[in-house]
Amino acid sequence: MAKLILSMDGLVLKEIMLNKERLTIGRKPSNDIQIDNLAISGEHAAVVTILNDSFLEDLNSTNGTLVNGQSVKKYFLRNNDVVELGKYKLKYMTDMSAAAVSDVDKAVMRRSGGRADALLSPNDSPARSNVGATPATPPAPHTVAGFVQLLSGANAGKELELTKTLTTLGKPGMQVAVIAKRPNGFFITHVEGSQFPVVNGVQLDAQAHQLNDHDVIEIAGIKMEFFFKP
């Protein structure tokens, strides 16, 4: 399991295990990692962990977030990366023997700053008409493929097969969510923005939510239907 080592001036202050989908860092007591220092914003940054990978997001902090001395807004963390927030440092460490996301998926995430731009270029496919159907238990993962069909926006009616381990949907700077493909199904997790994704009319929280067949998702004002195909 990955972890963060919090230090200041070379003195180790705390070790934090990344055992949550989303972990927040900031000055407010409500954060998972509270750093009571005026150089740190109330809600400064967040670390989102999906499967064996984590990525860092600066939450529009006043003084910014550095990784290895470079200012970042969103960054895919690698073993021994050092995150700097004011005088404080967070060293990211992970078990390198663990199974990882494919190099192709990582390259896509790094190249796009954590975005797959899935809403911008989905594959053409005939529209489906079973929106609003009663959610069903997902079929066995090895016999089905997961898809998302756009229900609104310029690309309404188009489908995207969820072939990647991570598929990022939404509009950067407004609202972004990740759909993770796992052995036991597909899970959606909030990544960026003040508003959380809505599934079947219910707003989600910061935890991962397992998707069921024919769930209707709303992200950044775009509605889409998640479904399985044999």
Side-chain angles (χ1 to χ4, degrees):
M1 181 183 294
K3 61 184 177 181
L4 295 171
I5 307 296
L6 176 64
S7 65
M8 185 181 69
D9 297 330
L11 178 66
V12 174
L13 303 176
K14 192 175 183 181
E15 180 177 302
I16 305 102
M17 303 304 295
L18 297 180
N19 54 8
K20 294 179 63 176
E21 294 274 351
R22 181 179 172 86
L23 182 146
T24 58
I25 307 165
R27 195 175 67 251
K28 293 180 179 179
S30 57
N31 288 284
D32 298 293
I33 302 176
Q34 184 191 11
I35 302 177
D36 191 8
N37 185 283
L38 292 178
I40 309 299
S41 296
E43 294 177 350
H44 196 105
V47 176
V48 176
T49 300
I50 306 291
L51 299 176
N52 298 307
D53 284 303
S54 302
F55 55 92
L56 172 76
E57 176 195 357
D58 180 84
L59 300 177
N60 297 316
S61 63
T62 301
N63 295 316
T65 301
L66 303 180
V67 176
N68 304 327
Q70 300 295 317
S71 178
V72 301
K73 283 297 183 182
K74 188 173 293 185
Y75 181 86
F76 210 107
L77 290 168
R78 288 163 285 189
N79 194 41
N80 293 321
D81 277 342
V82 176
V83 180
E84 300 176 51
L85 301 88
K87 294 182 179 180
Y88 292 83
K89 294 184 178 181
L90 286 159
K91 186 174 184 179
Y92 176 76
M93 301 183 70
T94 185
D95 179 5
M96 298 303 289
S97 66
V101 178
S102 72
D103 291 339
V104 173
D105 283 346
K106 287 184 180 180
V108 170
M109 293 293 284
R110 291 194 192 106
R111 196 163 55 240
S112 61
R115 299 182 292 112
D117 287 333
L119 290 182
L120 302 182
S121 57
N123 298 323
D124 290 332
S125 186
R128 293 171 60 87
S129 60
N130 17 19
V131 177
T134 303
T137 302
H142 68 278
T143 63
V144 299
F147 286 79
V148 167
Q149 182 198 28
L150 302 179
L151 304 178
S152 64
N155 291 318
K158 295 184 179 181
E159 293 179 2
L160 172 71
E161 183 176 0
L162 303 174
T163 58
K164 297 181 181 295
T165 304
L166 298 175
T167 300
T168 305
L169 303 171
K171 297 178 181 178
M174 180 179 176
Q175 188 180 17
V176 177
V178 171
I179 295 181
K181 181 181 180 182
R182 300 180 180 178
N184 59 332
F186 292 82
F187 293 77
I188 185 170
T189 305
H190 173 74
V191 173
E192 177 184 353
S194 58
Q195 296 297 315
F196 285 68
V198 173
V199 176
N200 300 327
V202 178
Q203 189 173 58
L204 304 182
D205 56 20
Q207 301 304 308
H209 175 83
Q210 185 167 14
L211 293 170
N212 292 309
D213 200 17
H214 303 308
D215 275 350
V216 176
I217 306 165
E218 184 172 351
I219 303 171
I222 302 294
K223 287 188 176 182
M224 61 197 79
E225 178 191 3
F226 171 83
F227 59 92
F228 293 101
K229 277 186 181 180

